[in-house]
């Protein structure tokens, strides 16, 4: 009798362990599996056929105009807190000096970094997605870059350059949410977004401080301000445009601009702190 | 103390079974705390896959990879597996040794619930924590705790000696049991409201205490404020019902019940204190998680009190026999 109970318990234990899935695979096999998962489309299943999928009405119009500008910061820069990386010894070991949150990065010249500037209205025609991937790199337990733009259908290559585990959790509003794991260094996953949206957030639930944002556009007219607060949008064809600047904390601002030829226009923004 | 003499021969097993059920209840409380930690630290999605953990069998996921949020999520899954396993053992044990059919059935029900709970946990990961699934997971967790607590109480030698012949008849004639039912029901409602508040991020919708947005009754147009306020009002209702219960229990001349009622009263006070501290500490992880786990303790204590209140004064006729084991003991009788 006792034997039978022991057998029963042992049997359940074993089947539970088996159920909990296919035994530990070796790292290489796991990695290959992950890397092989290329080009998973992240489009919301119910989304209507995206505009970019429709036959192009007009050939993609590119022009010779350039819009450049600066995003000024008005006020006193908030002090970003130093990130505590104690939750993962690896992350901590990657930084000899303190690392700070990147929500508000005010440059020495009183401009704002990580502002996504893009044409919000006025673009006609459809622009095929570039085949070159945009890379989102996880290094030192931070995302690089912190803010970026991408075209609909363009590959987004997420890379883990860290010797620790990351999960990449995308929180889109108009595309399908995803959450994938990259337990090993060197892992790559390619994703695509089919619907335009701004303020798409990425986070890592392992390392809570990690956050990145992207804007998805059905055209190539976007840029992110650099450590001089400057941006440059190239190859704009003639037209009337609404240019918008987006910042994760300070929101959006818009300006109108008219392009007639291949001129260079300047559009400056200023966010109040 | 229970009269072990009359149950000679089966007494040992009886006590073992009861102790095992108590162990499972304790493990479940720990699991509720571990789950609360997952929610409070927002690490629910730090392991994106299920039932695997980053592609590994969850039982062989290397310790070196327990970093950041994974520490909470993965340990929650492991403790849950342990509790699942203990539940299987308890159900089988009851099936073999328990004389009352409804208790045996309750054992299997516990197993069914823990399996459903595990699946809900997995689902909440795969669906990225939709509030409805997380709320269901939070409530089913404590429902499971209630079932295990019931099993622990009704297998106790003390209860065995005094079990009522009919629960429904006893319930009708027993004001203490009815009060306990009210308390248990209100606390369960409180758990539901608390879970909705927690998973719709309304925990700090009213940031002050004891006032609510500077008033006694805040404007209730916004859902987060309304649900939060319901939780506070219901806490007052619970305190009132438990207050009456304590007074009646003390007058009832049943010292065991009087003592348990005092424990319940104290737990409710601690729980209200922890609730206030949750708000005032702006949801400090440990304070908030303690509030979740102490909530389970309040629920379990109110329930135990109710079952205990239905137990009769000691009468020998009420004794429930152990089930003679199918093979072993039958052979011994020959
Ligand atoms: C089988 C018994 C289980 C019990 C009793 C249990 C209990 C709990 C409890 C009490 C919470 C906290 C809820 C709250 O604070 O509102 C929780 C959260 C959670 N549990 Fe479980 N759990 C179990 C199994 C699992 C399993 C197998 C998984 C598998 C992935 C899981 C995943 C989670 C997750 C992700 C959360 C966080 C939910 C959120 O933040 O919204 N649980 N669990
Ligand atoms: C007897 C009284 C009380 C009981 C039984 C109780 C029970 C609970 C439970 C079980 C939860 C978590 C539900 C889950 O698993 O997700 C919860 C959440 C919460 N309770 Fe209470 N509670 C009581 C009184 C209070 C009081 C007086 C306050 C103070 C204002 C309070 C504030 C909160 C808050 C803010 C949360 C949500 C925490 C978060 O958002 O993470 N509770 N309560």
């Amino acid at each position: 009798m006792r034997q039978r109970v022991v057998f029963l318990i042992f049997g359940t234990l074993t089947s539970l362990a088996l159920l909990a899935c296919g035994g530990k695979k070796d790292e290489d096999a796991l990695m290959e599996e992950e890397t092989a998962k290329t080009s998973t489309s992240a489009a919301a299943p119910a989304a209507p056929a995206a505009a970019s999928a429709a036959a192009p009405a007009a050939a993609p119009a590119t022009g010779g105009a350039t819009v450049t500008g600066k995003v000024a910061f008005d006020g006193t820069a908030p002090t970003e807190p130093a990130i505590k990386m104690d939750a993962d010894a690896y992350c901590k070991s990657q930084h000899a000096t303190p690392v700070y949150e990147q929500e508000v990065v005010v440059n020495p010249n009183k401009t704002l970094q990580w502002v996504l500037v893009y044409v919000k209205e006025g673009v006609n025609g459809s622009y095929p997605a570039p085949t070159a991937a945009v890379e989102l790199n996880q290094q030192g337990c931070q995302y690089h870059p912190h803010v970026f733009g991408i075209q609909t259908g363009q590959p987004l290559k997420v890379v883990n350059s860290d010797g620790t585990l990351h999960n990449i959790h995308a929180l889109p509003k108009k595309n399908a949410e995803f959450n994938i794991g990259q337990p090993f260094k060197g892992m790559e996953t390619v994703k695509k977004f089919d619907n335009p949206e701004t303020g798409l957030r990425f986070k890592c639930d392992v390392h809570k401080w990690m956050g990145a944002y992207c804007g998805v556009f059905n055209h190539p007219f976007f840029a992110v301000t650099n450590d001089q607060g400057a941006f440059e949008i190239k190859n704009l064809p003639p037209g009337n445009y609404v240019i918008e600047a987006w910042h994760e904390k300070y929101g959006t601002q818009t300006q109108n601009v008219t392009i007639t030829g291949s001129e260079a226009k300047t559009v400056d923004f200023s966010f109040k702190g | 103390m229970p009269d072990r003499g009359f149950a000679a021969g089966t007494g040992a097993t009886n006590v073992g079974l009861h102790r095992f059920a108590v162990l499972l209840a304790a493990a479940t409380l720990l699991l509720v705390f571990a789950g609360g930690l997952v929610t409070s630290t927002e690490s629910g999605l730090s392991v994106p896959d299920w039932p695997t953990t980053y592609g590994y069998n969850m039982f062989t996921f290397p310790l070196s990879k327990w970093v950041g949020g994974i520490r909470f999520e993965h340990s929650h899954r492991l403790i849950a597996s342990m509790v699942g396993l203990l539940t299987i053992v308890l159900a089988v044990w009851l099936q073999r040794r328990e004389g009352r059919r409804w208790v045996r059935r309750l054992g299997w029900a516990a197993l069914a619930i823990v399996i459903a709970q595990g699946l809900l946990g997995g689902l909440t990961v795969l669906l990225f924590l939709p509030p409805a699934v997380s709320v269901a997971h939070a409530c089913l967790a404590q429902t499971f705790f209630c079932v295990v607590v019931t099993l622990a109480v009704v297998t106790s030698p003390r209860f065995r000696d005094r079990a009522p012949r009919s629960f429904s008849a006893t319930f009708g004639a027993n004001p203490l049991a009815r009060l306990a039912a009210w308390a248990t029901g209100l606390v369960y409602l409180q758990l539901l409201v608390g879970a909705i508040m927690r998973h719709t991020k309304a925990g700090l919708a009213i940031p002050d205490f004891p006032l609510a947005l500077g008033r006694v009754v805040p404007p209730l147009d916004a859902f987060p404020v309304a649900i939060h306020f319901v939780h506070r009002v219901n806490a007052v209702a619970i305190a009132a019902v438990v207050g009456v219960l304590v007074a009646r229990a003390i007058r009832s001349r049943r010292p065991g019940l009087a003592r348990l009622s005092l424990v319940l009263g104290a737990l409710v006070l601690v729980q209200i204190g922890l609730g206030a501290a949750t708000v005032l500490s702006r949801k400090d992880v440990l304070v908030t998680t303690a509030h979740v786990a102490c909530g389970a303790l309040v629920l379990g204590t109110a329930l135990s009190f109710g079952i205990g209140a239905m137990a009769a004064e000691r009468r020998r006729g009420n004794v429930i026999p152990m089930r003679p084991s199918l093979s072993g003991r039958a052979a011994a009788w020959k």
Side-chain angles (χ1 to χ4, degrees):
Chain A
M1 213 256 359
R2 186 159 289 167
Q3 272 175 354
R4 261 199 284 162
V5 174
V6 169
F7 179 76
L8 234 164
I9 294 169
F10 184 75
T12 2
L13 247 172
T14 319
S15 35
L16 258 181
L18 284 176
L19 260 177
C21 261
K24 175 189 175 300
K25 305 165 191 165
D26 62 89
E27 301 201 356
D28 290 341
L30 270 171
M31 272 192 64
E32 269 168 31
E33 206 170 276
E34 265 305 315
T35 324
K37 271 194 217 157
T38 44
S39 308
T40 331
S41 177
S52 61
T62 50
T66 305
V67 172
T68 55
K70 280 202 172 181
V71 178
F73 180 79
D74 180 14
T76 39
T79 35
E80 287 292 313
I83 301 171
K84 279 207 201 82
M85 295 197 175
D86 302 286
D88 189 338
Y90 171 85
C91 303
K92 205 174 176 186
S93 74
Q94 296 303 295
H95 302 277
T97 51
V99 213
Y100 297 92
E101 302 272 357
Q102 291 176 298
E103 188 184 32
V104 180
V105 178
V106 178
N107 300 313
N109 64 354
K110 293 286 279 176
T111 56
L112 205 47
Q113 199 183 354
W114 304 125
V115 178
L116 183 57
V117 186
Y118 46 88
V119 176
K120 186 185 183 192
E121 286 166 31
V123 175
N124 291 313
S126 65
Y127 294 84
T131 47
V134 173
E135 189 172 297
L136 179 60
N137 188 15
Q138 300 155 102
Q139 191 166 29
C141 302
Q142 287 191 293
Y143 287 116
H144 305 280
H146 176 60
V147 175
F148 61 95
I150 191 170
Q151 257 182 266
T152 46
Q154 184 176 10
L156 169 68
K157 188 164 89 179
V158 186
V159 181
N160 183 4
S161 305
D162 279 329
T164 188
L165 314 81
H166 290 296
N167 72 295
I168 304 95
H169 181 190
L171 301 139
K173 292 179 199 74
K174 295 182 180 157
N175 293 281
E177 187 170 347
F178 67 77
N179 185 21
I180 47 174
Q182 290 189 333
F184 305 112
K185 188 171 181 162
M187 277 185 148
E188 293 179 10
T189 311
V190 176
K191 289 280 180 184
K192 286 178 182 173
F193 299 102
D194 285 355
N195 304 306
E197 68 172 287
T198 46
L200 195 169
R201 193 158 106 85
F202 295 87
K203 68 169 180 170
C204 174
D205 301 272
V206 180
H207 310 103
K208 268 197 288 179
W209 61 82
M210 289 176 68
Y213 287 91
C214 97
V216 185
F217 307 97
N218 51 17
H219 60 70
F221 308 118
F222 52 81
V224 178
T225 56
N226 58 17
D227 57 5
Q228 300 295 313
F231 67 90
E232 182 183 51
I233 297 173
K234 286 193 287 204
N235 302 328
L236 261 179
N240 293 318
Y241 299 107
V242 177
I243 311 274
E244 186 163 75
W246 173 94
H247 185 268
E248 64 182 280
K249 177 162 183 196
Y250 299 120
T252 56
Q253 288 186 7
T254 55
Q255 292 198 38
N256 297 325
V257 60
T258 302
I259 305 285
T260 49
S262 328
E263 68 265 45
K265 283 261 164 139
T266 306
V267 177
D268 289 332
F269 294 89
S270 176
F271 282 96
K272 268 208 169 54
Chain B
M1 271 307 288
D3 179 0
R4 283 202 196 150
F6 73 83
T10 55
T13 328
N14 183 351
V15 170
L17 186 54
H18 166 62
R19 285 193 183 144
F20 190 80
V22 171
L23 173 77
L24 177 54
T28 306
L29 193 63
L30 177 74
L31 178 56
V32 168
F33 187 84
L37 269 185
V38 174
T39 304
S40 283
T41 57
E42 295 181 20
S43 5
L45 293 179
S46 62
V47 179
D49 49 340
W50 179 83
T52 47
T53 293
Y54 282 93
Y56 287 88
N57 174 320
M58 65 177 281
F59 299 111
T60 59
F61 182 68
L63 210 62
S64 62
K65 293 190 183 295
W66 294 37
V67 294
I70 300 171
R71 291 171 300 175
F72 303 108
E73 172 62 12
H74 189 62
S75 54
H76 177 59
R77 294 186 187 188
L78 286 183
I79 300 172
S81 311
M82 197 61 215
V83 164
L85 208 66
L86 294 181
T87 311
I88 295 173
V89 174
L90 182 64
V92 172
W93 195 341
L94 284 170
Q95 182 63 34
R96 300 189 146 262
R97 287 302 167 116
E98 174 57 54
R100 293 161 291 180
R101 193 172 63 176
W102 70 271
V103 179
R104 292 199 300 272
R105 288 198 174 160
L106 202 58
W108 292 115
L111 182 57
I113 293 175
V114 83
I115 291 171
Q117 173 71 352
L119 294 177
L120 263 184
L123 207 61
T124 200
V125 167
L126 299 181
L127 298 179
F128 318 119
L129 310 182
V133 180
S134 289
V135 169
H137 188 69
C139 292
L140 197 58
Q142 300 207 17
T143 308
F144 174 70
F145 183 62
C146 285
V147 172
V148 175
V149 164
T150 304
L151 284 171
V153 174
V154 302
T155 53
S156 70
R158 197 188 175 95
F159 183 84
R160 247 172 215 293
D161 290 4
R162 310 170 184 193
R165 284 204 182 284
S166 149
F167 273 109
S168 47
T170 317
F171 186 72
N174 189 328
L176 274 181
R178 265 179 293 144
L179 265 175
W182 270 103
T184 310
L186 284 178
V187 174
Y188 195 90
L189 180 71
Q190 183 75 335
L191 152 71
L192 177 66
V193 173
I196 293 174
M197 167 167 60
R198 193 158 155 80
H199 295 283
T200 55
K201 309 239 181 305
L204 296 176
I206 303 178
D208 49 346
F209 183 91
L211 285 181
L213 294 167
R215 305 209 250 159
V216 176
V217 180
L220 299 171
D221 316 311
F223 176 77
V225 174
I227 189 86
H228 189 131
F229 193 64
V230 169
H231 192 74
R232 292 188 182 195
V233 171
N234 197 37
V236 175
I238 291 168
V241 170
V242 170
V244 175
L245 183 146
V246 172
R248 293 255 182 112
I250 289 173
R251 273 184 286 144
S252 73
R253 304 220 184 135
R254 295 174 68 179
L257 279 183
R259 250 179 283 132
L260 193 55
S261 78
L262 286 175
V263 172
L264 177 60
L267 281 174
V268 167
L269 290 182
V270 170
Q271 177 68 351
I272 290 175
L274 283 171
T278 297
V279 169
L280 296 177
S281 69
R282 317 208 65 71
K283 296 212 299 187
D284 173 85
V285 168
L286 277 182
V287 171
T288 310
T289 310
H291 183 67
V292 176
C294 187
L297 215 48
V298 170
L299 186 63
T301 310
L303 181 66
S304 308
F305 181 92
I307 301 172
M310 282 190 276
E313 305 295 311
R314 177 170 309 185
R315 259 188 287 129
R316 285 213 158 195
N318 287 342
V319 167
I320 295 154
M322 291 300 287
R323 190 184 203 191
S325 93
L326 300 177
S327 46
R329 231 159 272 280
W333 285 352
K334 278 182 191 157

